[in-house]
Amino acid sequence: MLARPIALAVLIAFGAFPVAAPLAAQTAPPTVTCQGRDVMAALSAPDREALVAAEAATPNGQGNHWRATRGDQVIDLVGTFHLPDPRMEPVMQRLAPVIASSDRVYLEATRAEIADLQKAVGERPDMMILQGKTLSERLSEDDWAALSGALEARGIPGFMAAKMQPWYISVLLGIPPCAMAAMTSRPEGLDNRIEAAADADHVPTVALEPYDTIFKAFATFTTDEQIEMVRIALLTEAEAEDVMTTMTNLYFAERPALIWSLGEKLALDAPGVDKVLVSRDLDRLAEALVDKRNAAWAATLDKAQGKHLLVAVGAGHLPGPKGLLNLLAERGFALTRVEF
């Protein structure tokens, strides 16, 4: 049994590459109108205290902007959020001179990688299309009715959903309808705004990884495991707006480690799940989508040329013992938190 898609939504919005991009052609202009309740406020005092304690014990657990210095090289690391939000405006004002003074800007993916991804999906249907039986044939009648209805609310017709890779369906179910248009377009999140500013300032932008990295990571899960993701998604799909609202607020409060801790708790507390298996699968997701990528990025940045670099990656990649910040510290960089 795999962790419910709330964990996947956290990974996509705050950690991993925005894999919803292949559906861009089917969506409306990006807007976000989520007004969910605060999940943290609904927790018991002991549960909140436990999450805060876990955050405090996490290396570099707070902060969305850090500066790593080694010798005469400076790397500004910015934790991003992949959806548009008006609270980005003052952030961009503060980042503008940092971007303009950089020799190079590193991103999870640039516009070139997005274009390569969309081209590859067109040329290789198996990247997005489920081979063999469709989901409507693999799920029970009740599950399929629930799934098709949930996806219709997100602007995805049932006939399309039936043929999609189930891991992708799980990601979409973790994104509430209020955020779907923004997530499935070229979202004007912080990473995209940084790229646009770099282009305007004629600062070169570089992708940290190939366009298909996330697809390869999910390919390590079997089809049966992915379908189990979908089944669990249907049990908790109604909570997606509350979770997205809460996680977004925590992002602007600069608490990325708390986002992770809360996402893990919600996954483990889902009704009827096996906590041991969910914990195992959360570890698998984190390793495939975050830890391995962090290690590869740290190796790249360790050898990167230029006196001043800016690195913009999902905020979930920054904290923790295997976070990008700690990996750079292990390579001799001194870390300083900077105003976000």
Side-chain angles (χ1 to χ4, degrees):
M1 180 183 295
L2 287 171
R4 67 180 181 171
I6 283 175
L8 290 176
V10 171
L11 285 165
I12 297 306
F14 303 93
F17 176 78
V19 296
L23 287 182
Q26 286 86 36
T27 60
T31 57
V32 180
T33 58
C34 298
Q35 298 179 347
R37 67 186 179 95
D38 187 339
V39 176
M40 283 289 292
L43 296 177
S44 68
D47 282 345
R48 286 196 300 272
E49 291 169 3
L51 290 174
V52 172
E55 174 191 37
T58 302
N60 315 308
Q62 294 189 9
N64 288 343
H65 185 182
W66 289 76
R67 186 161 291 150
T69 306
R70 186 178 64 182
D72 62 353
Q73 186 179 53
V74 174
I75 303 178
D76 277 277
L77 296 109
V78 179
T80 65
F81 173 51
H82 295 316
L83 288 174
D85 191 289
R87 287 170 284 186
M88 295 292 185
E89 296 299 333
V91 173
M92 279 303 300
Q93 290 176 13
R94 287 187 286 271
L95 287 177
V98 182
I99 297 167
S101 66
S102 297
D103 298 313
R104 191 174 296 106
V105 170
Y106 285 86
L107 302 158
E108 293 179 59
T110 69
R111 291 185 180 87
E113 280 68 43
I114 296 290
D116 287 343
L117 172 58
Q118 293 176 333
K119 179 181 178 183
V121 167
E123 295 175 348
R124 293 172 47 200
D126 60 293
M127 292 180 68
M128 290 291 295
I129 302 302
L130 182 62
Q131 303 301 301
K133 292 182 179 179
T134 65
L135 282 176
S136 59
E137 296 171 312
R138 295 172 186 258
L139 294 171
S140 70
E141 185 175 339
D142 288 344
D143 282 348
W144 172 245
L147 175 60
S148 57
L151 291 176
E152 288 280 357
R154 289 162 170 78
I156 311 297
F159 73 90
M160 287 180 57
K163 301 176 182 179
M164 288 181 179
Q165 291 282 0
W167 69 262
Y168 192 78
I169 293 294
S170 294
V171 171
L172 296 180
L173 289 175
I175 302 167
C178 57
M180 272 298 295
M183 182 62 83
T184 57
S185 70
R186 174 62 175 168
E188 291 303 315
L190 185 57
D191 43 355
N192 305 116
R193 297 185 68 161
I194 288 173
E195 182 180 13
D199 289 345
D201 290 328
H202 306 290
V203 177
T205 57
V206 182
L208 282 163
E209 63 190 10
Y211 69 86
D212 59 350
T213 299
I214 294 297
F215 284 74
K216 288 181 178 179
F218 275 112
T220 63
F221 296 93
T222 68
T223 299
D224 286 343
E225 289 174 330
Q226 294 178 35
I227 289 175
E228 190 64 17
M229 289 184 189
V230 173
R231 291 194 178 99
I232 297 175
L234 294 173
L235 298 175
T236 56
E237 175 266 333
E239 301 173 21
E241 182 167 355
D242 293 340
V243 173
M244 184 64 74
T245 297
T246 304
M247 299 301 186
T248 304
N249 290 339
L250 288 175
Y251 168 76
F252 284 102
E254 299 188 65
R255 305 183 74 174
L258 186 54
I259 290 173
W260 281 118
S261 296
L262 178 59
E264 181 178 23
K265 174 177 175 52
L266 294 175
L268 292 171
D269 288 350
V273 302
D274 184 318
K275 293 182 185 295
V276 173
L277 292 180
V278 167
S279 181
R280 180 202 67 187
D281 291 322
L282 282 171
D283 288 343
R284 287 182 64 194
L285 284 168
E287 180 182 11
L289 297 176
V290 181
D291 295 348
K292 286 185 176 180
R293 297 167 72 208
N294 285 349
W297 298 349
T300 295
L301 296 174
D302 188 35
K303 301 175 182 178
Q305 301 298 308
K307 287 190 176 183
H308 184 199
L309 308 175
L310 186 140
V311 177
V313 296
H317 289 281
L318 299 184
K322 296 182 180 180
L324 186 56
L325 292 170
N326 200 54
L327 294 180
L328 290 178
E330 291 175 350
R331 287 165 167 77
F333 285 89
L335 301 176
T336 305
R337 185 175 170 181
V338 182
E339 182 183 12
F340 178 61

